[in-house]
Amino acid sequence: MNKKQNFEDASAEMLFRQFIRGWAAIEYKCNPPSALRVEQTYAKYGIKLPFKIHYEYKVPAEFESQYGFLFWVKMIFCKQESFEEIWTQIQNVDVDKAPAGVNRDVVLYYRTFSKEQFAMIYACTLKMIEAWPVDKMIAEIKRLNPELASIKTDGKNSNVMGIVKSSGVLLDFFNGVAYGFAPEDIDYCLNAPREEFLAYKEKTDRLNLAHGHIPAPSRLDALLVAEAEVKKIIAQRAQEKGLE
């Protein structure tokens, strides 16, 4: 390999890293981790739980962050279209009519790159997918995060993404890592018996938890106490303000 090729490959890698950072920032802004938001809310009101809600998991270094890793998650489970198809779609979106949110912002972000640059990003994306097949990524995530090592990920379906017949458990596992859900929560959503899970989900839906995702049953009572305490503090502060 000559020096020119080495330089071009290095430039493409730098561009790809820049691209993923920007993509991750948009995703984080539009879809921040609910577990972190709830943890911060409890901290704001001085409430301490006997366990962590949000986890900062380690991911392969090239992804830099959990949201950078989320790019791999979305790409690995997406239908891979040709570069020309994707580029045409990006150019054809009427962003003035598109609703605000991650999809609109992502399209606008994509358009900050020239067609030549986007072709390089697309090529790097394909290399990333090839370099990190699902089984290899599972093994690496579990190696980097021993607290996830015992979670069963060889099931055909999960309770949350059961409609994705071949990838439900795996998709939920990776999403759980990307969004920083607790190991107990990830494990329960993936591996609880189906009927038990559906009945429990119905219960948590009625409770209207601010948790953002379905917590494991072993953690529910502590969360209910915390949420009741938050409501109590808010009511007390409102009353005190009214008396001023």
Side-chain angles (χ1 to χ4, degrees), residues 27 41 65 70 75 81 127 154 156 164 174 216:
E27 186 71 29
T41 297
S65 68
L70 186 60
M75 292 301 103
E81 298 173 290
K127 288 181 181 178
D154 58 354
K156 293 182 180 179
V164 185
F174 293 131

Side-chain angles (χ1 to χ4, degrees), residues 18-226:
Q18 173 192 337
F19 168 78
I20 288 185
R21 288 189 201 108
W23 184 95
I26 293 170
E27 186 71 29
Y28 191 95
K29 176 185 175 183
C30 295
N31 293 311
S34 58
L36 177 59
R37 173 181 53 78
V38 174
E39 192 171 79
Q40 291 172 337
T41 297
Y42 290 159
K44 174 183 174 182
Y45 291 103
I47 298 170
K48 294 184 179 180
L49 292 170
F51 47 73
K52 290 172 61 177
I53 298 178
H54 179 258
Y55 279 69
E56 293 186 3
Y57 294 115
K58 296 178 181 177
V59 298
E62 66 194 77
F63 299 107
E64 299 186 0
S65 68
Q66 285 164 265
Y67 271 66
F69 169 69
L70 186 60
F71 178 75
W72 174 88
V73 175
K74 290 186 179 294
M75 292 301 103
I76 202 76
F77 290 106
C78 283
K79 175 187 175 184
Q80 296 305 313
E81 298 173 290
S82 71
F83 168 74
E84 289 297 337
E85 287 175 321
I86 295 174
W87 182 254
T88 300
Q89 290 174 18
I90 292 168
Q91 304 313 308
N92 287 342
V93 172
D94 186 345
V95 292
D96 292 329
K97 294 182 180 179
V102 63
N103 292 332
R104 182 177 185 274
D105 289 352
V106 164
V107 169
L108 289 171
Y109 177 61
Y110 285 176
R111 289 183 180 179
T112 65
F113 297 92
S114 68
K115 187 173 184 179
E116 180 182 10
Q117 288 175 319
F118 203 79
M120 294 169 66
I121 292 167
Y122 176 83
C124 287
T125 300
L126 295 183
K127 288 181 181 178
M128 174 196 71
I129 292 170
E130 182 178 0
W132 287 103
V134 166
D135 289 347
K136 179 181 176 182
M137 185 62 82
I138 290 174
E140 182 64 2
I141 290 295
K142 289 185 174 183
R143 184 189 72 81
L144 292 170
N145 304 280
E147 63 269 46
L148 300 172
S150 64
I151 295 178
K152 181 182 176 183
T153 51
D154 58 354
K156 293 182 180 179
N157 295 301
S158 79
N159 291 308
V160 180
M161 292 294 292
I163 58 172
V164 185
K165 296 299 182 183
S166 63
S167 61
V169 167
L170 302 180
L171 179 55
D172 279 343
F173 175 73
F174 293 131
N175 276 335
V177 171
Y179 290 111
F181 297 157
E184 296 88 345
D185 296 348
I186 297 173
D187 189 29
Y188 184 77
C189 288
L190 266 61
N191 296 310
R194 180 72 173 164
E195 293 303 317
E196 174 192 325
F197 176 84
L198 291 176
Y200 177 69
K201 181 180 183 301
E202 183 178 346
K203 174 183 177 180
T204 57
D205 286 347
R206 289 197 306 269
L207 292 170
N208 195 28
L209 292 171
H211 195 54
H213 65 281
I214 301 169
S218 61
R219 299 155 69 85
L220 182 59
D221 287 346
L223 291 171
L224 291 175
V225 170

